[in-house]
Amino acid sequence: MITVSHLGKIYRMDGTETVALSDVSFTVKKGEFVAIMGPSGSGKSTLMHILGALDTPTSGKYILDGQEISKLNDDELARIRNQKIGFVFQAFNLLPRTTAVKNVMLPMVYAGGPPTSRLQRARQALTDVGLADRMEHLSNQLSGGQQQRVAIARALVMNPAIILADEPTGNLATAQSAEIMAIFTKLNKTGHTIIMITHESEVAKYAKRIIHLKDGRIWNR
Amino acid sequence: MEPLELISSSFEALGLNKTRTALATLGIIIGIAAVITLMSLGQASQRSVESQIQALGSNLLTVIPGSFRPGDFRSASGTATTLTLEDAHAIATSNKITGVKNVSVELQRRTAITAGRKSTNTAVVGVLPSYKEVRNVALESGNFISEADNRGQAKVAVLGPTVADDLFGENVNAVGKAVRINKVSFQVIGVMASKGGSGFGGNQDDTVLVPLSTAQKQLFGVTYIGSLSVEVADAKLMDTVRDQVGYLLLARHKIANAANADFSIFSQADLLSTVSQVTGTFTALLSGIAAISLLVGGIGIMNIMLVTVVERTREIGLRKALGATRKTVISQFLIESTILTIAGGIMGMILGIVLSFVISKLINLPFVLDFASVALAIGVSGGIGILFGWYPAQKAAKLQPIEALRYE
Ligand SMILES: Nc1ncnc2c1ncn2[C@@H]1O[C@H](COP(=O)(O)OP(=O)(O)OP(=O)(O)O)[C@@H](O)[C@H]1O
Ligand SMILES: [Mg+2]
C-alpha cells in the first residue's frame, strides 16, 4: 500500500539547512495500524506531511497505491489528498463558524458529484463517530473531543486508502483521548489502514506496529 | 467544484464579515454612481443645447457683425455695427446668389417691458415678417408682424409665451392688450407658441418681437442691425450660399482680404459642432474624474481582498489540504471580489440613475439615460472585480497547505 525508500527532507532557510529526514525506508500494508513515535523534533510531522501529500521530499521515493507521489505537481497532489488520504490534524483544523455537517462535506465538494448524496454520506460519517446529534452545531460550539471527531468524520468521508493522524489526541484530555482511540481501533477493525503519530506509549499500545524516529532516522531498538 | 457551489460559498464567506463587505462595496458604489450621474448629465445638457440650436430653424446661415470665430469671444455680436438692412436686401435680391429662400434680420436688446403694474426684463427683437418662416415661429393666438407694420413703424408686439404669462398671467389671452417697452406703448398683436427651450441663453419663449423699423427708430435709435439669417433652400447648397453671401458682403463693405472681414457667417452645423465639442470635452473631463474615484474604489477592493487572504490563510491551507486545486482557490477569490464589485456596481447604478434624475429635474434638463452607460457600469465594475481581485487570488492560490496551516 505504502512504500517509502531512502526518503530525505532538508529544510533550507536563510542559508541554514535543517535535515528533518534522512534515508527513511519502510512499507505499510493494507489494513495495518502503525504508530510513529519519537522525541520532539525527530521529523515525525515532516514524514507525515510527505505521506499525506501535503509536502514533497527532497530525495527518495514515495509510492502510494502503486502511484509515485514524489513526482506529482501541485494540482495532482491536491487530487491525491482529496481521493486517497484522510488527514487528521493535531489542531483539528475545522472551518470556523461552519456547521459540523458542512465541514464533513468539504472534501466531497472538491471531489464533485451529486450534492444530495454528499449530505447523506456526511451524516453517515458523523453518525459513525457518534455525533448524530451534533450535525448542525457550528464548529466553535463543539468541545475539543467533538471537534476532533468531526475531523475524523471528514477524513473518513471520502473513503480514503489511508488515514493519517498527527497526534490526534495531543490537544485532548485523557477521557476524550480514549474515545478517539476507540474510534481509530474500530476503523482499523473495519479494514482502514491507519498511520498515527503519538508521544504517548499509552496511545501507541492501540497500534499493531511502532516505527521509532530519532533525528530524522528510523531507529530499531 | 461546481460554479454554483463556488458562488454560494463566496456569498457565505462575504456574509461572515458584513461591515467589511459593505465598506468595500461603498467605494465602487460611489465611483459607479459618479460616472453614471456625470455621463447622464453631460449627455442631457448636450442634447438640450443641440435641440435649442435645431429649434432655430433648419438650413440656416447666420451672419453677425464683427469677426468671430467659434471659441473666440473677444468681439461678440452686438458690439460691432457693420451690418445694415441694406446688406440683407442685397442678399435677398442679388442675382449672384442662388438658393436663398428667405432672409431675416434681427436687432436685439434686453429691456424692461411692463403691463399695468407687472414688469419683466426680456430680449426685445426687431424683426421682419420673414422671421416667422425662417425661425419656424408658430403662433398660439393673434397675428405676426406684417409688411405694413414694418413700413409704418407700427407700435405692435408679438410676445413669447413666457413673457405673456409673466405680464398677464397664465391662460389669459394677451392679444389686444397694451404693453410698454422702453416707456413706449405697444399693442400686443400675437403670442408665440411655446418651443419649450430650457435655461440656456437665447430662449425663444422669453422674447418680444417688434417690427425692425420700430425697433431701430422708435426704441433704440440706431440704423444698423444685430444679425441676419439666411434660410437656404436646400441643405446641399449651404456651402455655396455661404461663400456667395460672404463675397457679396465683402464687396459691399469694400474689403479686399477675406481675413479682414467685418462680419462672420456660421451655420447651425458650426454651432452644433462647437457646442458638442465644448460639452463633449466637459463631459469627458467630469467622467475622467469619476473614473478616478472608480479606480480608488477598485484599489479599496484589492486592499480588502488582500486582508481577507491573510486573515483566511489557515482556511485556504485547510481547503488545499482537503483537495482544493489552485484553480478552485483562484476562482473562489475572484468570484468573491467580482460579487463585491458587481453588487457595488448595481447599487451605484441605481444611485446614479436616481441622482441624475433628481438633478436634471432640479436644473430643468431633459433626463437622459443611456443604455450604454448602464452596460458600461456593470461591465466596468465586474472588470474591476477581476482586475483587482487577481493579485489577492494568486496570492491565496500560491499558499502551500502546510505553511498556511501553520500560520497564526
Ligand atoms: N518549515 C520548516 N522550516 C525549517 N525547518 C523545519 C520546518 N518544519 C520543521 N522543521 C525542522 O525539522 C525538524 C523536524 O520537525 P518536525 O515538525 O517533523 O518534528 P516532530 O517530530 O513532528 O516534532 P514534535 O513532536 O515536536 O511535533 C525540526 O528540527 C524542525 O525544526
Ligand atoms: Mg509534530
Side-chain angles (χ1 to χ4, degrees):
Chain A
M1 166 117 305
I2 282 184
T3 310
V4 296
S5 42
H6 312 293
L7 218 54
K9 177 77 181 177
I10 300 170
Y11 290 109
R12 289 191 180 84
M13 296 173 68
D14 312 324
T16 60
E17 288 191 355
T18 315
V19 181
L21 288 178
S22 66
D23 202 23
V24 172
S25 306
F26 61 87
T27 50
V28 176
K29 290 194 205 70
K30 193 170 164 53
E32 268 197 288
F33 190 164
V34 179
I36 296 175
M37 292 192 76
S40 183
S42 57
K44 303 185 297 291
S45 292
T46 304
L47 175 61
M48 202 62 134
H49 293 155
I50 292 170
L51 294 180
L54 288 162
D55 208 350
T56 43
T58 24
S59 60
K61 243 187 189 179
Y62 167 29
I63 292 164
L64 168 67
D65 240 4
Q67 190 170 16
E68 178 154 6
I69 306 299
S70 28
K71 291 200 172 132
L72 300 180
N73 68 24
D74 266 14
D75 283 353
E76 288 163 335
L77 288 175
R79 212 183 128 66
I80 295 292
R81 292 197 288 271
N82 185 247
Q83 307 282 326
K84 301 244 161 124
I85 293 157
F87 210 105
V88 180
F89 301 91
Q90 178 172 0
F92 320 143
N93 284 328
L94 299 181
L95 278 188
R97 287 161 298 188
T98 308
T99 60
V101 73
K102 279 212 163 139
N103 265 292
V104 177
M105 276 162 72
L106 203 53
M108 293 188 281
V109 166
Y110 293 117
T116 42
S117 78
R118 287 183 211 167
L119 186 62
Q120 253 175 348
R121 282 163 65 188
R123 285 170 178 280
Q124 184 57 53
L126 280 168
T127 311
D128 289 349
V129 296
L131 283 177
D133 54 344
R134 293 287 189 278
M135 308 248 191
E136 298 301 329
H137 277 59
L138 298 181
S139 45
N140 39 312
Q141 296 168 343
L142 297 170
S143 74
Q146 288 169 336
Q147 287 187 49
Q148 193 61 300
R149 280 191 275 163
V150 174
I152 294 170
R154 182 180 65 192
L156 278 178
V157 79
M158 289 295 292
N159 197 22
I162 186 161
I163 294 172
L164 303 174
D166 188 350
E167 294 192 58
T169 58
N171 283 346
L172 296 177
T174 326
Q176 292 175 322
S177 296
E179 280 174 21
I180 298 297
M181 288 319 300
I183 292 173
F184 278 114
T185 316
K186 200 177 91 190
L187 285 174
N188 181 237
K189 282 208 176 101
T190 54
H192 286 92
T193 314
I194 299 171
I195 304 180
M196 179 188 296
I197 294 179
T198 185
H199 267 112
E200 305 153 56
S201 41
E202 267 308 290
V203 172
K205 275 197 321 218
Y206 294 91
K208 290 171 188 152
R209 176 154 74 103
I210 299 176
I211 294 175
H212 291 275
L213 273 185
K214 200 178 176 190
D215 297 330
R217 289 172 184 278
I218 291 185
W219 170 64
N220 295 310
R221 24 177 192 186
Chain B
M1 197 169 176
E2 267 132 59
L4 265 176
E5 273 174 326
L6 270 173
I7 291 170
S8 76
S9 89
S10 299
F11 271 112
E12 270 168 37
L14 289 173
L16 287 179
N17 202 329
K18 294 191 180 67
T19 317
R20 179 187 295 170
T21 306
L23 283 176
T25 39
L26 199 57
I28 299 294
I29 295 178
I30 292 171
I32 292 283
V35 169
I36 295 236
T37 308
L38 292 174
M39 270 169 65
S40 155
L41 290 181
Q43 284 168 338
S45 60
Q46 185 158 351
R47 203 166 291 181
S48 152
V49 172
E50 280 171 7
S51 72
Q52 277 175 52
I53 291 170
Q54 260 144 11
L56 294 175
S58 50
N59 297 355
L60 208 64
L61 288 175
T62 305
V63 185
I64 59 164
S67 68
F68 170 85
R69 278 166 288 275
D72 171 10
F73 293 97
R74 271 170 302 174
S75 53
S77 69
T79 55
T81 59
T82 50
L83 277 184
T84 62
L85 188 56
E86 284 68 42
D87 287 330
H89 280 310
I91 293 167
T93 54
S94 170
N95 53 10
K96 286 187 194 125
I97 302 180
T98 48
V100 171
K101 197 169 159 198
N102 254 315
V103 178
S104 95
V105 307
E106 288 177 29
L107 174 63
Q108 177 175 335
R109 292 281 162 86
R110 277 200 94 78
T111 35
I113 169 165
T114 58
R117 264 189 228 109
K118 291 207 177 143
S119 129
T120 179
N121 204 29
T122 188
V124 173
V125 192
V127 299
L128 294 177
S130 56
Y131 183 89
K132 181 169 188 288
E133 198 180 327
V134 175
R135 286 298 175 85
N136 295 330
V137 175
L139 289 177
E140 196 175 278
S141 59
N143 298 305
F144 200 70
I145 294 156
S146 69
E147 284 296 346
D149 291 335
N150 191 48
R151 241 179 285 123
Q153 295 178 25
K155 296 191 186 90
V156 293
V158 174
L159 303 186
T162 311
V163 181
D165 288 351
D166 285 353
L167 293 178
F168 300 106
E170 282 179 39
N171 303 321
V172 174
N173 191 359
V175 175
K177 301 228 160 103
V179 293
R180 291 176 76 81
I181 304 169
N182 243 4
K183 301 193 183 85
V184 181
S185 184
F186 280 73
Q187 197 196 5
V188 177
I189 57 166
V191 176
M192 291 183 264
S194 175
K195 277 197 168 180
S198 58
F200 290 90
N203 180 357
Q204 284 200 56
D205 288 357
D206 192 14
T207 54
V208 172
L209 306 181
V210 298
L212 176 72
S213 57
T214 315
Q216 284 184 321
K217 308 224 164 72
Q218 309 268 349
L219 284 177
F220 308 134
V222 299
T223 55
Y224 54 82
I225 58 171
S227 70
L228 64 87
S229 308
V230 180
E231 190 185 359
V232 180
D234 188 337
K236 283 180 227 144
L237 293 173
M238 289 292 278
D239 288 342
T240 326
V241 174
R242 180 197 202 121
D243 289 348
Q244 290 168 338
V245 168
Y247 287 125
L248 183 87
L249 289 178
L250 285 175
R252 284 182 56 83
H253 295 185
K254 303 192 171 56
I255 296 166
N257 187 348
N260 300 328
D262 56 0
F263 60 88
S264 316
I265 307 176
F266 48 86
S267 64
Q268 269 189 74
D270 296 337
L271 270 179
L272 269 177
S273 77
T274 311
V275 167
S276 306
Q277 228 173 347
V278 172
T279 54
T281 313
F282 200 59
T283 308
L285 191 74
L286 288 178
S287 306
I289 294 170
I292 291 174
S293 71
L294 205 51
L295 182 73
V296 173
I299 294 170
I301 294 279
M302 175 140 86
N303 196 8
I304 295 283
M305 292 308 293
L306 281 175
V307 171
T308 306
V309 168
V310 171
E311 203 184 59
R312 283 160 63 188
T313 299
R314 280 179 68 91
E315 178 202 320
I316 297 161
L318 174 67
R319 286 177 184 276
K320 291 196 88 172
L322 295 179
T325 55
R326 276 175 108 91
K327 214 175 97 192
T328 319
V329 175
I330 289 180
S331 312
Q332 185 179 347
F333 279 87
L334 280 187
I335 286 171
E336 270 179 41
S337 63
T338 312
I339 288 174
L340 278 182
T341 55
I342 287 185
I346 291 173
M347 287 189 266
M349 185 186 75
I350 294 168
L351 184 65
I353 290 172
V354 170
L355 270 182
S356 45
F357 182 78
V358 169
I359 293 175
S360 62
K361 282 285 158 285
L362 282 181
I363 61 174
N364 200 12
L365 277 178
F367 171 60
V368 180
L369 180 61
D370 204 351
F371 178 73
S373 61
V374 171
L376 191 76
I378 302 294
V380 163
S381 53
I384 285 176
I386 293 173
L387 189 71
F388 289 97
W390 187 257
Y391 175 62
Q394 286 291 337
K395 253 191 113 140
K398 279 192 193 129
L399 288 173
Q400 288 302 313
I402 278 306
E403 278 157 41
L405 278 173
R406 206 174 275 158
Y407 181 87
E408 289 301 331

